[in-house]
Structures are given as structure tokens and as C-alpha cells.
Amino acid sequence: MFAKEVNVYSARHYDTDIALYDTFTKRTGITVNLIEGGSDALIERIVNEGEFTPADILITVDAGRLWRAQQRGVFQPVESEILESRVPAHLRETNGHWFGLSKRARVIVYRKDAALPIRVTRYEDLSNEALRGLICMRSSSNIYNLSLMASLLDAHASDVAKMWASGVVENFARDPQGNDTSNVTAVSNGVCGLTIANTYYLGRFLASDSESDRELANSLAVVFPNQDDRGTHVNISGAGITKHAPNRDHAIQFLEYLTDDYAQRLFAEGNNEYPVVGHASGTVAELGEFKEDEIRAQLLGENQAAAVRVYDLAGWR
């Protein structure tokens, strides 16, 4: 008799995920075997293992990475009424190769006590010359910035997107560097006037045991951009069933489980994200409700190459 198990390769590393897996085993009798690692390393591992991979499911962050994995032949399409009914269409791949499981928004952040020279309500405002010398950013090669540009290329012609990126480069307070945490900290410390960051970084500060972290978060104002038009850019953590999954049926059952109300709450709260089903809970809910851009998540991958070209032409390194 074969063991009832599912093998999960995950780029997520949260205690709440272990609680999720334990509950799944208690409900179904299916053991969850977990392999953790970086997103790119896990994708490469599955590709190298080929048809002999033990991996049933890959869980990773950012639609751009999910798309990259799909292009490498990592996933197989899945038909599931549960997944199709619970995961919004724009947050899953058209043919069922992967499904979003949690969301994060990319927001504009500035100090509450340091007035900006203009009112900033849209991503497009960041290219305004009134913000010269005020913006801190990550490298253009960062997957979050690639996905943001991919969404802008869906909203605008490439020449307009290039003009925007060039304007932002002109407004840099320093060369692109660091991550969202260091750039948010730089804003709080007055090194620069504003930045763009994923909401879960702000959630981490708000939920921190450190009083200084909480004070930092409370010193910042958060703008959900483009509320009067297409909505704020949203990205996902998500998963798909591997092409050579040895426990395919158990893997589909596990993926469906991750969309139920209990699992959605724990999966999202584990990284201070928003669920794809239901409403926000935990500290990230303190940031308020917002309208999201409902661009199909797969376009964030499909537009990646064009995004790289735009950033290169704009001199954003």
C-alpha cells in the first residue's frame, strides 16, 4: 500500500504554514513532506530533477516567478471547480497552471510629518519633477519592480512607460539599492522623501515586538495608488502542481484546502498579506481597504522582458 503523502517545495518559511500542514494531515490523513528554499533555487531543482522529481507542489512568491516556472515546464494544468470558484480569475493562470493564494499591494510610503511638494495619489506622480531628489528605490532587476513595470505596460504604451521610468530616475535621492525594509527605514530616517514598498513589510513593522519598529510604522503615511482609475498594483504568492507530480490527486486536494476560509486566514497572516478569498485580517488590515488593479496576474510575467527593456532605456539600474 502506498503512503498517503504530498511533497511540497516552498519558498515560504513561516510557523503558521506548519500549522496549516498539520491541520491538513489531521483532516485527510495525508502527510505533508516539506522542502524549503529560495524561489529560483527550487525552480532550478525541480527542472534538474525532471521526471524523477518528488515534488508535487511548488509554492512561491510573485506572479513573475510563477510565470518563469511555467516557462521552464515546471507546472501541469489543473481543472478544479473548487479552485476556479474560489480564486478570482485575474489571480490565476488561464489554463490552471498556477493559482494565487495570497496578495500584497505595492504602495507609496512617506513620512506623516514631512509634507511632500505635491499631492501623490498615483504611481505616475512619481515622475513629477517636483519630487527631484526625494525618491529611494530598489534595483530595477528586483522581481517586484519588474512586475510593477509589467502592470504599467498594460496600462500605458511603452514610450509612456519609458518616460515615467526616466522621470523617476531623475528623482532618485540615491542610486537604487537595498530592499523594501531598508528603503522604508530610509524614508522614516529622512534619507529620502518617499518610496514604494509591499504592504507586508509595513505589516511586519506594525506587528513587531520591537517598540521602535512599531513607532517607525506609525510615523509613515501609506498611499494606495490609482484609486480613482485602475487601482493599486497587486501581486501574489501562489502555487501550482508540478508536471511530474507523483501524488497528483493528493496535491490537488492540498491546493484546494489552501483556499478554504481557515487556510486562507493562516496563509495570509503568516506573511502579513491579504487572502485571495475573503477579507484582510491581522495587522495589515490596519492599512485600510483599497481598490486593486485587476490585471491578469500572468501578464506580470508575460510583460517581464519588455519591462527590463524599459528600465534599461531609462537608465534605472
Side-chain angles (χ1 to χ4, degrees), residues 106-126:
R106 199 140 182 82
V107 295
I108 297 169
V109 181
Y110 66 95
R111 279 188 65 95
K112 292 176 181 176
D113 63 0
L116 296 174
I118 61 170
R119 184 166 177 260
V120 175
T121 63
R122 308 173 75 236
Y123 296 111
E124 288 82 351
D125 292 336
L126 298 185

Side-chain angles (χ1 to χ4, degrees), residues 66-77:
L66 289 162
W67 180 83
R68 287 180 186 175
Q70 181 183 348
Q71 298 308 298
R72 298 292 302 277
V74 166
F75 298 128
Q76 61 173 287

